[in-house]
Coordinates of all heavy atoms in Angstrom, one line a residue:
M1 N -70.7 125.1 134.8 CA -70.0 125.1 136.0 C -68.8 124.2 136.0 O -68.9 123.1 135.6 CB -71.0 124.6 137.2 CG -70.4 124.7 138.5 SD -71.7 124.2 139.7 CE -70.7 123.6 141.0
E2 N -67.7 124.7 136.4 CA -66.5 123.9 136.4 C -66.5 122.9 137.5 O -67.1 123.2 138.6 CB -65.2 124.8 136.6 CG -64.9 125.6 135.3 CD -63.6 126.3 135.3 OE1 -63.1 126.6 136.4 OE2 -63.0 126.4 134.3
K3 N -65.9 121.8 137.3 CA -65.9 120.7 138.2 C -64.4 120.7 138.8 O -63.5 121.4 138.4 CB -66.2 119.4 137.5 CG -67.5 119.4 136.8 CD -67.7 118.2 135.9 CE -68.9 118.4 135.1 NZ -68.8 118.0 133.8
I4 N -64.2 119.8 139.8 CA -62.9 119.7 140.4 C -62.4 118.3 139.9 O -63.1 117.2 139.9 CB -63.0 119.6 141.9 CG1 -63.5 121.0 142.4 CG2 -61.7 119.3 142.5 CD1 -63.7 121.2 143.9
F5 N -61.1 118.3 139.6 CA -60.4 117.1 139.0 C -59.2 116.8 139.8 O -58.4 117.8 140.1 CB -60.1 117.2 137.6 CG -61.3 117.0 136.7 CD1 -62.1 118.2 136.5 CD2 -61.7 115.8 136.2 CE1 -63.3 118.1 135.7 CE2 -62.9 115.8 135.5 CZ -63.6 116.9 135.3
A6 N -58.9 115.6 140.2 CA -57.7 115.2 140.8 C -56.8 114.6 139.7 O -57.2 113.7 139.0 CB -57.9 114.1 141.8
V7 N -55.6 115.2 139.5 CA -54.7 114.7 138.5 C -53.5 114.1 139.2 O -52.9 114.7 140.1 CB -54.2 115.9 137.6 CG1 -53.2 115.4 136.6 CG2 -55.4 116.6 136.9
H8 N -53.2 112.9 138.8 CA -52.1 112.1 139.4 C -51.0 112.0 138.4 O -51.1 111.7 137.2 CB -52.6 110.7 139.7 CG -51.6 109.8 140.2 ND1 -50.9 108.9 139.5 CD2 -51.0 109.8 141.5 CE1 -50.0 108.3 140.3 NE2 -50.1 108.8 141.5
Y9 N -49.8 112.5 138.9 CA -48.6 112.3 138.2 C -47.8 111.1 138.7 O -47.6 111.0 139.9 CB -47.7 113.5 138.3 CG -48.0 114.8 137.6 CD1 -49.1 114.9 136.7 CD2 -47.1 115.9 137.6 CE1 -49.4 116.1 136.1 CE2 -47.4 117.1 136.9 CZ -48.5 117.2 136.1 OH -48.8 118.3 135.4
L10 N -47.2 110.3 137.8 CA -46.3 109.3 138.2 C -45.0 109.7 137.5 O -45.0 109.7 136.2 CB -46.7 107.9 137.9 CG -45.7 106.8 138.2 CD1 -45.5 106.7 139.6 CD2 -46.3 105.5 137.7
Y11 N -43.9 110.0 138.2 CA -42.7 110.4 137.6 C -41.8 109.2 137.1 O -41.9 108.2 137.7 CB -41.8 111.2 138.5 CG -42.5 112.5 139.0 CD1 -42.7 112.7 140.3 CD2 -43.0 113.4 138.1 CE1 -43.4 113.8 140.8 CE2 -43.6 114.5 138.5 CZ -43.8 114.7 139.8 OH -44.5 115.9 140.3
D12 N -41.1 109.4 136.0 CA -40.2 108.4 135.5 C -39.1 108.2 136.5 O -38.3 109.1 136.7 CB -39.7 108.9 134.1 CG -38.7 107.9 133.5 OD1 -38.2 107.0 134.1 OD2 -38.6 108.0 132.2
P13 N -38.9 107.0 137.0 CA -37.9 106.7 138.0 C -36.5 106.9 137.5 O -35.5 107.0 138.4 CB -38.2 105.3 138.5 CG -39.0 104.6 137.4 CD -39.7 105.7 136.8
Q14 N -36.3 106.8 136.2 CA -35.0 107.0 135.6 C -34.6 108.5 135.5 O -33.5 108.8 135.0 CB -34.9 106.3 134.3 CG -35.3 104.8 134.3 CD -34.4 104.1 135.2 OE1 -33.1 104.2 135.2 NE2 -35.0 103.2 136.1
R15 N -35.5 109.4 135.8 CA -35.3 110.8 135.5 C -35.3 111.6 136.8 O -35.7 112.8 136.8 CB -36.4 111.3 134.6 CG -36.7 110.6 133.3 CD -35.7 110.9 132.2 NE -35.6 112.3 131.9 CZ -36.3 113.0 131.0 NH1 -37.3 112.4 130.4 NH2 -36.1 114.3 130.9
T16 N -34.8 111.1 137.9 CA -34.8 111.8 139.2 C -33.9 113.0 139.1 O -34.3 114.0 139.8 CB -34.4 110.9 140.4 OG1 -33.1 110.3 140.0 CG2 -35.4 109.8 140.6
D17 N -32.8 113.0 138.4 CA -32.0 114.2 138.3 C -32.7 115.3 137.6 O -32.7 116.5 138.0 CB -30.7 113.9 137.6 CG -29.7 113.1 138.5 OD1 -29.9 112.9 139.7 OD2 -28.8 112.4 137.9
D18 N -33.4 114.9 136.4 CA -34.2 115.9 135.7 C -35.3 116.5 136.6 O -35.6 117.6 136.5 CB -34.8 115.3 134.5 CG -33.6 115.0 133.5 OD1 -32.6 115.7 133.4 OD2 -33.8 114.0 132.7
L19 N -36.0 115.6 137.3 CA -37.1 116.0 138.2 C -36.6 117.1 139.2 O -37.2 118.1 139.3 CB -37.6 114.8 139.0 CG -38.7 115.1 140.0 CD1 -40.0 115.7 139.4 CD2 -39.1 113.8 140.8
A20 N -35.5 116.9 139.8 CA -34.9 117.8 140.7 C -34.5 119.1 140.1 O -34.8 120.2 140.6 CB -33.7 117.3 141.5
R21 N -34.0 119.0 138.9 CA -33.5 120.2 138.1 C -34.7 121.1 137.6 O -34.7 122.3 137.7 CB -32.6 119.8 137.0 CG -32.1 120.9 136.1 CD -31.2 120.4 135.0 NE -31.8 119.4 134.2 CZ -32.6 119.5 133.2 NH1 -33.1 120.8 132.9 NH2 -33.1 118.6 132.5
I22 N -35.7 120.4 137.2 CA -36.9 121.1 136.6 C -37.9 121.5 137.7 O -38.8 122.4 137.4 CB -37.5 120.3 135.5 CG1 -36.5 120.1 134.4 CG2 -38.7 120.9 134.9 CD1 -36.8 119.0 133.4
R23 N -37.9 120.9 138.8 CA -38.9 121.2 139.8 C -39.2 122.7 140.1 O -40.4 123.1 140.2 CB -38.6 120.4 141.2 CG -39.6 120.6 142.2 CD -39.4 119.8 143.4 NE -39.8 118.4 143.2 CZ -39.0 117.4 143.4 NH1 -37.8 117.6 143.9 NH2 -39.5 116.2 143.1
P24 N -38.2 123.5 140.2 CA -38.5 124.9 140.5 C -39.4 125.6 139.4 O -40.3 126.4 139.6 CB -37.1 125.6 140.5 CG -36.2 124.5 141.0 CD -36.7 123.3 140.3
E25 N -39.1 125.2 138.1 CA -40.0 125.7 137.0 C -41.4 125.1 137.1 O -42.4 125.9 136.8 CB -39.3 125.3 135.6 CG -38.0 125.9 135.3 CD -37.5 125.3 134.0 OE1 -38.1 125.3 133.0 OE2 -36.3 124.8 134.1
H26 N -41.5 123.9 137.4 CA -42.7 123.2 137.7 C -43.5 123.9 138.7 O -44.7 124.2 138.5 CB -42.4 121.7 138.0 CG -43.6 121.0 138.7 ND1 -44.6 120.6 138.0 CD2 -43.7 120.7 140.1 CE1 -45.4 119.9 139.0 NE2 -44.9 119.9 140.1
R27 N -42.9 124.3 139.8 CA -43.6 125.0 140.8 C -44.0 126.3 140.5 O -45.1 126.9 140.9 CB -42.8 124.9 142.1 CG -42.8 123.5 142.7 CD -42.1 123.4 144.0 NE -42.3 122.1 144.6 CZ -41.6 121.5 145.6 NH1 -40.7 122.3 146.2 NH2 -41.8 120.3 146.0
T28 N -43.3 127.0 139.7 CA -43.6 128.4 139.2 C -44.8 128.3 138.3 O -45.7 129.1 138.4 CB -42.4 129.0 138.4 OG1 -41.3 129.2 139.4 CG2 -42.8 130.3 137.9
F29 N -44.8 127.3 137.5 CA -46.0 127.0 136.6 C -47.3 126.8 137.4 O -48.3 127.4 137.1 CB -45.6 125.8 135.6 CG -46.9 125.3 134.9 CD1 -47.4 126.1 133.8 CD2 -47.6 124.2 135.3 CE1 -48.6 125.6 133.1 CE2 -48.7 123.7 134.6 CZ -49.2 124.4 133.5
L30 N -47.1 125.9 138.4 CA -48.3 125.6 139.2 C -48.8 126.8 140.0 O -50.0 127.1 140.1 CB -48.0 124.5 140.2 CG -47.9 123.1 139.5 CD1 -47.5 122.0 140.6 CD2 -49.1 122.7 138.7
R31 N -47.8 127.6 140.5 CA -48.1 128.8 141.2 C -49.0 129.8 140.3 O -49.9 130.4 140.7 CB -46.9 129.6 141.7 CG -47.1 130.9 142.3 CD -47.7 130.9 143.7 NE -47.0 130.1 144.6 CZ -47.5 129.7 145.8 NH1 -48.8 130.1 146.2 NH2 -46.9 128.9 146.6
S32 N -48.6 129.9 139.1 CA -49.4 130.7 138.1 C -50.8 130.2 137.9 O -51.7 131.0 137.8 CB -48.6 130.9 136.7 OG -48.7 129.6 136.0
L33 N -50.9 128.9 137.9 CA -52.4 128.4 137.8 C -53.1 128.6 139.1 O -54.3 129.0 139.1 CB -52.3 126.8 137.6 CG -51.7 126.4 136.2 CD1 -51.7 124.8 136.2 CD2 -52.5 127.0 135.1
Y34 N -52.4 128.6 140.2 CA -53.1 128.9 141.5 C -53.5 130.3 141.5 O -54.7 130.6 141.9 CB -52.1 128.5 142.6 CG -52.7 128.9 144.0 CD1 -53.6 128.1 144.6 CD2 -52.3 130.1 144.7 CE1 -54.2 128.4 145.8 CE2 -52.8 130.4 145.9 CZ -53.8 129.6 146.4 OH -54.3 129.9 147.7
E35 N -52.6 131.2 141.1 CA -53.0 132.7 141.1 C -54.1 133.0 140.1 O -54.8 133.9 140.4 CB -51.7 133.5 140.9 CG -50.7 133.4 142.0 CD -49.4 134.0 141.7 OE1 -49.1 134.4 140.5 OE2 -48.5 134.0 142.7
A36 N -54.2 132.2 139.1 CA -55.3 132.4 138.1 C -56.6 131.8 138.6 O -57.6 131.9 137.9 CB -54.9 131.9 136.8
G37 N -56.5 131.0 139.7 CA -57.8 130.3 140.2 C -58.1 129.0 139.7 O -59.1 128.4 139.9
A38 N -57.2 128.5 138.8 CA -57.4 127.1 138.2 C -56.9 126.0 139.0 O -57.4 124.9 139.0 CB -56.7 127.1 136.8
L39 N -55.9 126.2 139.9 CA -55.4 125.2 140.7 C -55.8 125.4 142.2 O -55.8 126.5 142.7 CB -53.8 125.2 140.7 CG -53.1 124.1 141.5 CD1 -52.1 123.5 140.7 CD2 -52.5 124.8 142.8
L40 N -56.3 124.3 142.8 CA -56.7 124.4 144.2 C -55.6 124.0 145.1 O -55.4 124.5 146.2 CB -58.0 123.5 144.4 CG -59.2 123.9 143.6 CD1 -60.3 122.9 143.7 CD2 -59.7 125.3 144.0
A41 N -54.9 122.9 144.8 CA -53.8 122.4 145.6 C -52.9 121.5 144.8 O -53.4 120.9 143.8 CB -54.4 121.7 146.8
S42 N -51.7 121.3 145.3 CA -50.8 120.3 144.7 C -49.7 120.0 145.7 O -49.5 120.8 146.6 CB -50.2 120.9 143.4 OG -49.2 121.9 143.8
G43 N -49.2 118.8 145.5 CA -48.1 118.4 146.3 C -47.7 117.0 146.1 O -48.4 116.2 145.3
P44 N -46.5 116.6 146.5 CA -45.9 115.3 146.2 C -46.7 114.2 147.0 O -47.2 114.5 148.1 CB -44.5 115.4 146.6 CG -44.5 116.4 147.7 CD -45.6 117.4 147.4
L45 N -46.7 113.0 146.4 CA -47.1 111.8 147.1 C -45.8 110.9 147.2 O -45.5 110.2 146.2 CB -48.2 111.1 146.3 CG -49.5 111.8 146.1 CD1 -50.4 111.1 145.1 CD2 -50.2 111.8 147.5
G46 N -45.1 111.0 148.2 CA -43.9 110.4 148.3 C -42.8 111.0 147.4 O -42.9 112.2 147.2
S47 N -41.9 110.3 146.9 CA -40.8 110.9 146.1 C -41.0 110.7 144.6 O -40.3 111.4 143.8 CB -39.5 110.3 146.4 OG -39.4 108.9 146.1
D48 N -42.0 109.9 144.2 CA -42.1 109.7 142.7 C -43.5 109.9 142.2 O -43.8 109.4 141.0 CB -41.6 108.3 142.3 CG -42.4 107.2 143.0 OD1 -43.2 107.5 143.9 OD2 -42.1 106.0 142.7
E49 N -44.4 110.6 142.9 CA -45.7 110.9 142.5 C -46.2 112.2 142.9 O -45.6 112.8 143.9 CB -46.7 109.8 143.1 CG -46.4 108.4 142.7 CD -47.3 107.4 143.3 OE1 -48.6 107.5 143.1 OE2 -46.9 106.6 144.1
A50 N -47.2 112.7 142.4 CA -47.7 114.0 142.8 C -49.3 114.0 142.6 O -49.8 113.3 141.7 CB -47.2 115.2 142.1
L51 N -50.0 114.8 143.4 CA -51.4 115.0 143.2 C -51.7 116.4 143.0 O -51.2 117.3 143.8 CB -52.2 114.4 144.4 CG -53.7 114.6 144.3 CD1 -54.2 113.6 143.2 CD2 -54.3 114.1 145.7
I52 N -52.4 116.8 142.0 CA -52.8 118.1 141.6 C -54.2 118.3 141.5 O -54.9 117.5 140.8 CB -52.0 118.6 140.3 CG1 -50.5 118.4 140.5 CG2 -52.4 120.0 140.0 CD1 -49.8 118.5 139.2
I53 N -54.9 119.2 142.2 CA -56.3 119.4 142.2 C -56.6 120.7 141.5 O -56.1 121.8 141.8 CB -56.9 119.5 143.7 CG1 -56.4 118.3 144.5 CG2 -58.4 119.6 143.7 CD1 -56.8 117.0 144.1
V54 N -57.5 120.5 140.4 CA -57.7 121.7 139.5 C -59.2 121.8 139.3 O -59.9 120.8 139.4 CB -57.0 121.6 138.2 CG1 -55.4 121.6 138.3 CG2 -57.4 120.4 137.4
H55 N -59.6 123.1 138.9 CA -60.9 123.3 138.3 C -60.8 123.1 136.8 O -59.8 123.5 136.2 CB -61.3 124.8 138.5 CG -61.8 125.1 139.8 ND1 -63.0 124.7 140.3 CD2 -61.3 125.9 140.8 CE1 -63.1 125.1 141.6 NE2 -62.1 125.9 141.8
A56 N -61.8 122.3 136.3 CA -61.8 122.1 134.8 C -63.2 121.7 134.4 O -64.0 121.4 135.3 CB -60.8 121.1 134.3
E57 N -63.4 121.6 133.1 CA -64.7 121.2 132.6 C -64.8 119.7 132.4 O -65.9 119.1 132.4 CB -65.0 121.9 131.3 CG -65.2 123.4 131.4 CD -66.4 123.7 132.1 OE1 -67.5 123.0 132.1 OE2 -66.4 124.9 132.8
S58 N -63.7 119.0 132.2 CA -63.6 117.6 131.8 C -62.3 117.1 132.1 O -61.3 117.8 132.4 CB -63.9 117.4 130.3 OG -62.9 118.0 129.5
V59 N -62.1 115.7 132.0 CA -60.9 115.0 132.2 C -59.9 115.6 131.1 O -58.7 116.0 131.5 CB -61.0 113.6 132.0 CG1 -59.6 112.9 131.9 CG2 -61.7 113.0 133.3
A60 N -60.3 115.7 129.9 CA -59.5 116.2 128.8 C -59.0 117.6 129.1 O -57.8 117.9 128.9 CB -60.2 116.1 127.5
S61 N -59.9 118.5 129.6 CA -59.5 119.8 129.8 C -58.6 120.0 131.1 O -57.7 120.8 131.1 CB -60.7 120.8 130.0 OG -61.5 120.4 131.0
A62 N -58.7 119.1 132.0 CA -57.8 119.1 133.2 C -56.4 118.7 132.7 O -55.4 119.4 133.1 CB -58.3 118.1 134.2
L63 N -56.3 117.7 131.9 CA -55.0 117.3 131.4 C -54.4 118.4 130.4 O -53.2 118.6 130.4 CB -55.1 115.9 130.7 CG -55.4 114.8 131.6 CD1 -55.6 113.5 130.8 CD2 -54.3 114.6 132.7
E64 N -55.3 119.0 129.7 CA -54.8 120.1 128.7 C -54.3 121.3 129.5 O -53.3 121.9 129.1 CB -55.9 120.5 127.9 CG -55.6 121.6 126.9 CD -56.7 122.0 126.0 OE1 -57.6 121.1 125.6 OE2 -56.9 123.2 125.7
L65 N -54.9 121.6 130.6 CA -54.5 122.7 131.5 C -53.1 122.5 132.0 O -52.3 123.4 132.1 CB -55.5 122.8 132.7 CG -55.1 123.8 133.8 CD1 -55.3 125.3 133.3 CD2 -56.0 123.6 135.0
L66 N -52.8 121.2 132.3 CA -51.4 120.8 132.8 C -50.4 120.4 131.8 O -49.2 120.2 132.1 CB -51.5 119.8 133.9 CG -52.4 120.2 135.1 CD1 -52.7 119.0 136.0 CD2 -51.6 121.3 135.9
A67 N -50.8 120.4 130.5 CA -49.9 120.0 129.5 C -48.7 120.9 129.4 O -47.5 120.3 129.1 CB -50.6 119.9 128.1
P68 N -48.7 122.2 129.6 CA -47.5 123.0 129.5 C -46.6 122.9 130.7 O -45.6 123.6 130.8 CB -48.1 124.4 129.4 CG -49.5 124.3 129.1 CD -50.0 123.0 129.6
D69 N -46.9 122.1 131.7 CA -46.0 121.9 132.8 C -44.6 121.5 132.4 O -44.5 120.6 131.5 CB -46.6 120.8 133.7 CG -45.9 120.6 135.0 OD1 -44.6 120.9 135.0 OD2 -46.5 120.1 136.0
P70 N -43.6 122.3 132.9 CA -42.3 122.0 132.3 C -41.8 120.5 132.6 O -41.1 119.9 131.8 CB -41.4 122.9 133.2 CG -42.3 124.1 133.5 CD -43.7 123.5 133.7
L71 N -42.4 119.9 133.6 CA -42.0 118.4 133.8 C -42.6 117.6 132.7 O -42.1 116.6 132.3 CB -42.5 117.9 135.2 CG -41.8 118.5 136.4 CD1 -42.4 118.0 137.7 CD2 -40.3 118.1 136.4
N72 N -43.9 117.9 132.3 CA -44.5 117.2 131.2 C -43.8 117.4 129.9 O -43.5 116.5 129.2 CB -46.0 117.6 131.1 CG -46.8 116.7 130.1 OD1 -46.7 115.5 130.2 ND2 -47.5 117.4 129.2
K73 N -43.5 118.6 129.6 CA -42.8 119.0 128.4 C -41.4 118.3 128.3 O -41.0 117.9 127.2 CB -42.6 120.5 128.3 CG -44.0 121.1 127.9 CD -44.0 122.6 128.1 CE -43.2 123.3 127.0 NZ -43.2 124.7 127.0
A74 N -40.7 118.1 129.4 CA -39.5 117.4 129.5 C -39.5 115.9 129.5 O -38.5 115.2 129.4 CB -38.6 117.9 130.7
G75 N -40.7 115.4 129.5 CA -40.9 113.9 129.5 C -40.5 113.3 130.9 O -40.3 112.1 130.9
V76 N -40.5 114.0 132.0 CA -40.2 113.5 133.2 C -41.4 112.7 133.8 O -41.3 111.8 134.7 CB -39.8 114.6 134.2 CG1 -39.6 114.1 135.6 CG2 -38.5 115.2 133.7
I77 N -42.6 113.1 133.4 CA -43.9 112.4 133.9 C -44.1 111.2 133.1 O -44.3 111.2 131.8 CB -45.1 113.4 133.8 CG1 -44.8 114.6 134.6 CG2 -46.3 112.7 134.3 CD1 -45.8 115.7 134.4
A78 N -44.0 110.0 133.7 CA -44.3 108.7 133.0 C -45.8 108.6 132.7 O -46.1 108.2 131.5 CB -43.8 107.6 133.9
T79 N -46.7 108.9 133.6 CA -48.1 108.9 133.3 C -48.8 110.0 134.1 O -48.4 110.5 135.2 CB -48.7 107.5 133.8 OG1 -48.6 107.4 135.2 CG2 -48.2 106.3 133.1
R80 N -49.9 110.5 133.4 CA -50.7 111.5 134.0 C -52.1 111.0 133.9 O -52.6 110.7 132.7 CB -50.6 112.9 133.2 CG -49.3 113.6 133.2 CD -49.3 114.9 132.5 NE -50.1 114.8 131.2 CZ -50.9 115.8 130.8 NH1 -51.0 116.9 131.5 NH2 -51.5 115.7 129.6
T81 N -52.9 110.9 134.9 CA -54.3 110.5 134.9 C -55.1 111.6 135.6 O -54.6 112.2 136.6 CB -54.5 109.1 135.5 OG1 -54.0 109.2 136.8 CG2 -53.7 108.1 134.7
A82 N -56.3 111.7 135.2 CA -57.2 112.6 135.9 C -58.6 112.0 136.0 O -59.0 111.1 135.2 CB -57.4 113.9 135.1
Q83 N -59.2 112.3 137.2 CA -60.6 111.9 137.4 C -61.4 113.0 138.1 O -60.7 113.7 139.0 CB -60.7 110.6 138.0 CG -60.1 110.5 139.4 CD -60.1 109.0 140.0 OE1 -59.3 108.2 139.6 NE2 -61.0 108.7 140.9
Q84 N -62.6 113.0 137.9 CA -63.4 114.0 138.6 C -63.5 113.7 140.1 O -63.5 112.5 140.4 CB -64.8 114.0 138.0 CG -65.6 115.2 138.6 CD -67.0 115.4 137.9 OE1 -67.3 114.8 136.9 NE2 -67.8 116.1 138.6
W85 N -63.4 114.7 140.9 CA -63.5 114.5 142.3 C -64.6 115.4 142.9 O -64.7 116.5 142.6 CB -62.2 114.9 143.0 CG -62.1 114.7 144.4 CD1 -62.4 113.6 145.2 CD2 -61.5 115.7 145.3 NE1 -62.1 113.8 146.5 CE2 -61.6 115.1 146.6 CE3 -61.0 116.9 145.2 CZ2 -61.2 115.7 147.8 CZ3 -60.6 117.5 146.4 CH2 -60.6 117.0 147.6
Q86 N -65.4 114.8 143.7 CA -66.5 115.6 144.3 C -66.4 115.6 145.9 O -66.9 114.8 146.5 CB -67.9 114.9 143.9 CG -68.1 115.0 142.4 CD -69.4 114.3 142.0 OE1 -70.0 113.6 142.8 NE2 -69.8 114.6 140.8
P87 N -65.6 116.6 146.4 CA -65.5 116.7 147.8 C -66.9 117.0 148.5 O -67.7 117.8 148.0 CB -64.5 117.9 148.0 CG -64.5 118.7 146.7 CD -65.0 117.7 145.7
V88 N -67.1 116.3 149.6 CA -68.3 116.5 150.3 C -68.1 117.3 151.6 O -69.1 117.7 152.2 CB -69.1 115.2 150.5 CG1 -69.6 114.7 149.2 CG2 -68.3 114.2 151.2
I89 N -66.9 117.2 152.1 CA -66.5 118.0 153.3 C -65.3 118.7 153.1 O -64.3 118.1 152.6 CB -66.4 117.0 154.6 CG1 -67.7 116.2 154.8 CG2 -65.9 117.7 155.8 CD1 -67.6 115.2 155.8
G90 N -65.2 120.0 153.4 CA -64.0 120.7 153.3 C -64.3 122.0 152.6 O -65.3 122.3 152.2
P91 N -63.2 122.7 152.3 CA -63.3 124.1 151.7 C -63.8 124.0 150.2 O -64.2 125.1 149.8 CB -61.9 124.7 151.8 CG -61.0 123.4 151.8 CD -61.8 122.3 152.5
W92 N -63.8 122.9 149.6 CA -64.2 123.0 148.1 C -65.6 122.3 147.9 O -65.9 122.0 146.8 CB -63.2 122.3 147.3 CG -61.8 122.9 147.5 CD1 -61.5 124.3 147.5 CD2 -60.6 122.2 147.7 NE1 -60.2 124.5 147.7 CE2 -59.6 123.2 147.8 CE3 -60.2 120.9 147.8 CZ2 -58.2 122.9 148.1 CZ3 -58.9 120.6 148.0 CH2 -57.9 121.6 148.2
E93 N -66.3 122.0 149.0 CA -67.6 121.4 148.9 C -68.6 122.2 148.2 O -68.5 123.4 148.0 CB -68.1 120.9 150.2 CG -68.4 122.0 151.2 CD -68.7 121.6 152.6 OE1 -67.8 121.3 153.4 OE2 -70.0 121.5 152.8

């Protein structure tokens, strides 16, 4: 059974121009994961962070799922961390 993972992105503050330029490709990539059923939700946390909620088997597989993200491939993400999340109230319980 797949679990739910919260993946946190922290963007490189020196790459704001690249972030803005690549963001449309990033969102297209995430939309494809959503349409495939792997992504539950995503969105920014302020201007330099994001939270992405995905289905995966492990922390490693959650990060692997997001490895092809254009922002990751371009080096705009300074850190990516994932941890299992167990919602108890809401649509994913």
Side-chain angles (χ1 to χ4, degrees):
M1 180 174 156
E2 288 192 330
K3 302 167 189 145
I4 296 176
F5 288 84
V7 180
H8 177 257
Y9 282 5
L10 178 62
Y11 300 122
D12 182 339
Q14 304 302 314
R15 306 282 306 274
T16 56
D17 290 344
D18 292 329
L19 174 62
R21 180 177 51 80
I22 299 169
R23 183 174 280 129
E25 294 173 55
H26 159 74
R27 289 186 174 164
T28 297
F29 168 75
L30 292 177
R31 174 74 52 195
S32 73
L33 293 180
Y34 178 77
E35 290 170 354
L39 181 131
L40 297 171
S42 69
L45 296 170
S47 62
D48 60 352
E49 300 177 62
L51 182 64
I52 303 170
I53 309 297
V54 297
H55 282 290
E57 294 292 330
S58 65
V59 166
S61 62
L63 293 173
E64 182 179 321
L65 176 69
L66 295 168
D69 185 331
L71 290 176
N72 187 50
K73 290 170 64 174
V76 174
I77 302 168
T79 62
R80 298 182 316 140
T81 57
Q83 63 186 75
Q84 188 175 345
W85 181 49
Q86 297 176 345
V88 295
I89 298 173
W92 307 312
E93 59 184 88

